[in-house]
């Protein structure tokens, strides 16, 4: 145990960034997915591509459920991750740009999670691929 503690201290001294615990990151990811699902659902009211946004919203909810299942398996608890506030964009185009940026950020975060927790890499890589597909 003492070796593990000294290893953590050495990482801090060497400037390595500590990764937050997986359950904590999962709660953030679940919240972000729920927020994204709500954002896409709100976009369905403003355009002719409502079916596409409904599909993406459904996929985002599925991502949140998959992450919640992993959270439960790791902790034995149901995650308390609330949906974040929807951003108020000035226009439909601005909302699309914000969604695009959020999808790219989510993909980046999932790929980083796959590196940090290789035992869960297949899930995180699959989610990253879906997020990248949403951004296209």
């Amino acid at each position: 145990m003492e070796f593990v503690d000294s290893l953590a201290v050495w990482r801090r001294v060497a400037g390595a960034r500590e990764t937050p615990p997986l359950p904590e990151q999962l709660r953030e990811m679940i919240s972000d997915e729920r927020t994204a699902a709500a954002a896409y659902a709100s976009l369905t009211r403003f355009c002719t591509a409502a079916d596409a946004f409904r599909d993406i919203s459904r996929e985002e909810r599925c991502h949140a459920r998959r992450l919640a299942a992993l959270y439960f398996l790791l902790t034995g608890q149901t995650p308390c991750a609330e949906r974040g506030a929807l951003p108020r964009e000035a226009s439909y185009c601005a909302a699309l740009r914000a969604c695009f940026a959020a999808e790219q950020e989510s993909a980046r975060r999932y790929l980083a999670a796959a590196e940090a927790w290789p035992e869960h890499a297949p899930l995180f890589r699959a989610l990253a691929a879906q997020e990248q597909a949403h951004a296209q």
Side-chain angles (χ1 to χ4, degrees):
M1 193 69 156
E2 197 171 300
F3 175 74
V4 172
D5 292 338
S6 64
L7 189 58
V9 169
W10 175 249
R11 284 187 184 132
R12 280 196 309 271
V13 169
R17 234 178 41 176
E18 288 195 30
T19 304
L22 181 55
E24 181 181 318
Q25 285 201 7
L26 285 172
R27 281 192 306 271
E28 291 175 19
M29 291 173 182
I30 294 165
S31 177
D32 290 347
E33 292 292 350
R34 289 178 178 166
T35 303
Y40 283 113
S42 71
L43 285 175
T44 62
R45 297 181 301 214
F46 302 108
C47 69
T48 57
D51 289 340
F53 289 131
R54 258 188 231 100
D55 290 344
I56 294 174
S57 178
R58 185 175 53 249
E59 289 175 5
E60 298 291 1
R61 287 191 307 274
C62 180
H63 295 174
R65 285 192 300 274
R66 291 177 72 185
L67 292 166
L70 177 57
Y71 183 90
F72 180 79
L73 291 173
L74 292 173
T75 66
Q77 300 173 349
T78 302
C80 294
E82 298 296 322
R83 176 181 66 93
L86 290 178
R88 301 282 183 216
E89 300 299 337
S91 68
Y92 173 74
C93 291
L96 285 179
R97 283 191 296 274
C99 287
F100 176 78
E103 294 292 352
Q104 289 186 320
E105 175 59 25
S106 292
R108 185 205 56 76
R109 186 171 14 161
Y110 288 136
L111 291 174
E115 292 293 319
W117 294 285
E119 64 275 18
H120 305 296
L123 169 64
F124 290 128
R125 285 194 185 107
L127 293 174
Q130 290 176 342
E131 298 294 349
Q132 288 169 339
H134 293 166
Q136 293 179 355

